[in-house]
Amino acid sequence: MEPIFKRKLYERMLRWKEESNGGTALLIKGARRVGKSTLALTFARDQYQSHIAIDFNTASKDVIALFDDISDLNYLFLRLQASYNVVLEPRKSAIIFDEVQKCPKARQAIKYLVADGRFDYIETGSLLSIRRNIKDITIPSEETRVTLYPMDYEEFRWALGDTATIPLLRQFLDLRRPLSDELNRKMMRDFRVYMLVGGMPQAVVEYLNRNNLSLVDEVKRSILELYEEDFNKIDPSGRISRLFRGIPGELHRNSNRYVISKVLSDKERPSRLGDAIADLEDSMTVNVAYRADDPNVGMSLHEDSDCFKMYLADTGLFVTLAFYDKDWSENEIYHKLLSDKLKVNLGYVYENVVAQLFRSAGHRLFYYTFPTPNGKSYYEIDFLLSQSSKISPVEVKSSGYNAHASMDAFCEKFSDRILHRYLLYPKDLKKDGQLLCLPIYMAGLLK
């Protein structure tokens, strides 16, 4: 039996159950294989006297046909209980619509099922597929929508049976005190394991069961192949798939934006590929950071839709995609990455994991570029966090902290807007004037 991992979204689901009291359905969005179905089932088993889980990938034609006519809800519930051999108790039972995008009429029925009030409803689905399967149906407003991301670093530590590390790191951060070189090296070794395995539950299970990173890589490749199949169904031209595969190369080029013409043969502007970019975002397999034209609170009002960077939503998948041309049966690349001895610039891998942890923590992703005084190059701030009524610039480094010209120039230019200044890197916590240098495994603690 596979382990059931503790997920932070569970607490949000508890609040929904208590506060909604049947007034809305809960829609769990997320990428394929991120653990939506398992979380919904775990919650239903824990929090209700009984439940019915309808997986619309495998549901019978008779069950699907029940939602063609919901004029008699008593009959609908009777048929469902008989089909699944479950007795439902009013206000004590839940019905799960798993992969609800496969049955649009079931999603449309949510409005009436919620109004009926007898049971709670939990829906799961891929946002991309949900949005593409809404033709000719009324979208229910009676939904509380939440997002399940790949496991963040704290959830990964929980999976390993470690509940102490992250709370202790929070204390070090609050005190602004270093850990020690020896302890930091250990923490970085542990964090690199997370970067390599990632937060997809299936990959984490394989790591726990086999402790073999090569076998974990095979799991991740199967997930990437599943994503590719989904992209090709949506866009047979292959553009979405090529944009996805091009992410590691574009980050490795260290450009100040994702250059579509480097990936696609056509020279279209990003705005003309809006549907393809939007589909990638909706698939939740990627995290997109937009350039903020005005680096201030309310950055979403000033985002440049033509200038963006893309990251994979899961860094474990990113590592596999970055080295997809290699056969990892010998495990050599993994071992070198784990020991930090691979002769490649790992800055783009660190940048991807920071994007993942920021997104999991609820931050939208923005960055900022501006020309140097000579106009021949650009300063770049990797991420901008909106905190309180100000912003906090973040730079990500793969080595030392001594060079931070972009941070210095940005803070001089926008000094009245800045709350904190962060540099994330592999070394121990350190203060450099007003700059707080943090080990990269603390990225998820920045709220």
Side-chain angles (χ1 to χ4, degrees):
M1 181 178 177
E2 291 189 354
I4 302 298
F5 297 125
K6 180 182 177 182
R7 306 300 299 270
K8 293 179 179 178
L9 191 61
Y10 193 101
E11 295 300 317
R12 175 67 183 89
M13 295 169 72
L14 283 174
R15 293 201 305 274
W16 159 78
K17 183 176 185 292
E18 180 180 349
E19 295 168 2
S20 171
N21 193 29
T24 65
L26 185 72
L27 173 60
I28 305 174
K29 305 173 295 180
R32 298 276 300 275
R33 299 292 177 87
V34 81
K36 302 182 299 296
S37 302
T38 300
L39 180 60
L41 284 167
T42 301
F43 187 80
R45 290 169 184 153
D46 291 350
Q47 301 300 325
Y48 295 92
Q49 184 172 303
S50 63
H51 69 277
I52 288 174
I54 306 173
D55 182 349
F56 286 111
N57 274 324
T58 59
S60 68
K61 292 180 180 179
D62 285 346
V63 167
I64 293 174
L66 291 174
F67 296 94
D68 291 338
D69 180 2
I70 59 168
S71 58
D72 187 346
L73 290 181
N74 289 329
Y75 179 68
L76 171 68
F77 296 139
L78 185 62
R79 285 283 305 274
L80 288 176
Q81 291 175 92
S83 296
Y84 289 89
N85 195 29
V86 172
V87 175
L88 298 175
E89 298 290 343
R91 303 305 319 135
K92 296 180 181 179
S93 298
I95 300 177
I96 299 172
F97 290 171
D98 197 14
E99 301 294 348
V100 70
Q101 73 275 6
K102 299 289 186 179
C103 186
K105 289 187 176 180
R107 188 175 182 218
Q108 179 175 256
I110 285 294
K111 175 181 179 67
Y112 308 99
L113 296 172
V114 167
D116 173 75
R118 271 177 271 186
F119 312 115
D120 281 357
Y121 299 90
I122 303 173
E123 306 166 86
T124 76
S126 159
L127 183 59
L128 173 57
S129 298
I130 286 173
R131 288 186 175 172
R132 285 182 168 267
N133 286 276
I134 58 176
K135 185 179 179 181
D136 300 326
I137 73 165
T138 301
I139 304 301
S141 59
E142 297 78 9
E143 285 178 335
T144 296
R145 302 177 187 183
V146 296
T147 302
L148 183 64
Y149 296 102
M151 297 165 69
D152 68 13
Y153 188 46
E154 185 168 22
E155 291 173 322
F156 182 77
R157 299 306 309 174
W158 289 342
L160 270 58
D162 173 13
T163 59
T165 292
I166 302 303
L168 292 172
L169 290 178
R170 285 195 182 96
Q171 293 184 49
F172 280 106
L173 177 59
D174 290 343
L175 294 171
R176 303 293 199 262
R177 300 296 297 273
L179 286 73
S180 80
D181 288 341
E182 181 180 359
L183 185 54
N184 178 68
R185 283 193 295 271
K186 176 190 180 302
M187 293 290 181
M188 279 304 304
R189 284 195 299 270
D190 291 344
F191 188 69
R192 281 195 293 269
V193 172
Y194 170 67
M195 292 169 66
L196 294 172
V197 175
M200 302 302 285
Q202 189 178 353
V204 177
V205 168
E206 186 66 27
Y207 174 70
L208 293 175
N209 288 343
R210 309 288 287 276
N211 195 29
N212 185 312
L213 291 171
S214 180
L215 296 178
V216 173
D217 186 66
E218 291 180 13
V219 170
K220 292 188 293 177
R221 286 177 183 244
S222 70
I223 295 173
L224 289 171
E225 289 168 3
L226 179 67
Y227 289 171
E228 293 267 358
E229 291 172 4
D230 288 346
F231 296 149
N232 289 329
K233 288 177 186 176
I234 296 161
D235 175 25
S237 74
R239 289 191 305 177
I240 294 177
S241 179
R242 294 201 301 278
L243 288 170
F244 180 78
R245 290 199 306 267
I247 291 173
E250 282 299 289
L251 288 176
H252 184 58
R253 284 197 317 107
N254 200 30
S255 172
N256 60 14
R257 63 188 175 92
Y258 189 108
V259 182
I260 288 177
S261 61
K262 297 284 187 181
V263 179
L264 302 181
S265 57
D266 45 354
K267 306 296 182 182
E268 295 183 74
R269 289 173 57 82
S271 57
R272 295 179 182 175
L273 287 166
D275 287 346
I277 303 301
D279 283 344
L280 267 176
E281 283 196 89
D282 286 350
S283 73
M284 302 191 68
T285 60
V286 304
N287 291 320
V288 180
Y290 288 96
R291 184 187 184 277
D293 286 336
D294 182 15
N296 208 340
V297 174
M299 286 178 285
S300 58
L301 300 173
H302 305 284
E303 68 181 38
D304 183 350
S305 60
D306 278 359
C307 194
F308 60 89
K309 289 187 172 185
M310 279 200 291
Y311 306 91
L312 260 67
D314 179 72
T315 302
L317 295 181
F318 177 88
V319 171
T320 294
L321 190 62
F323 297 99
Y324 208 75
D325 58 333
K326 294 285 187 180
D327 180 358
W328 289 23
S329 59
E330 297 300 322
N331 232 346
E332 180 181 3
I333 293 175
Y334 270 123
H335 284 311
K336 288 186 176 181
L337 278 170
L338 189 60
S339 60
D340 203 18
K341 293 180 179 179
L342 189 63
K343 293 181 180 180
V344 297
N345 179 6
L346 292 182
Y348 61 105
V349 184
Y350 288 140
E351 196 174 330
N352 195 95
V353 77
V354 170
Q356 176 182 348
L357 295 180
F358 281 173
R359 197 71 190 93
S360 296
H363 298 290
R364 286 201 64 196
L365 302 181
F366 295 97
Y367 70 103
Y368 186 68
T369 61
F370 57 109
T372 58
N374 62 21
K376 294 182 179 179
S377 59
Y378 284 84
Y379 293 124
E380 180 176 333
I381 299 298
D382 295 318
F383 299 100
L384 294 170
L385 301 183
S386 182
Q387 296 181 315
S388 299
S389 59
K390 294 195 174 185
I391 59 171
S392 297
V394 180
E395 273 203 74
V396 181
K397 298 282 189 180
S398 59
S399 54
Y401 74 96
N402 292 324
H404 39 77
S406 293
M407 178 69 74
D408 294 341
F410 180 87
C411 292
E412 182 179 353
K413 184 178 177 69
F414 300 107
S415 59
D416 60 327
R417 306 180 182 184
I418 294 171
L419 181 63
H420 299 297
R421 311 166 187 201
Y422 298 115
L423 186 145
L424 297 171
Y425 71 150
K427 306 297 183 181
D428 199 359
L429 190 153
K430 179 182 179 71
K431 291 191 71 175
D432 180 17
Q434 292 180 284
L435 182 66
L436 183 59
C437 305
L438 298 176
I440 200 161
Y441 47 77
M442 287 188 177
L445 304 181
L446 300 180
K447 303 300 184 182

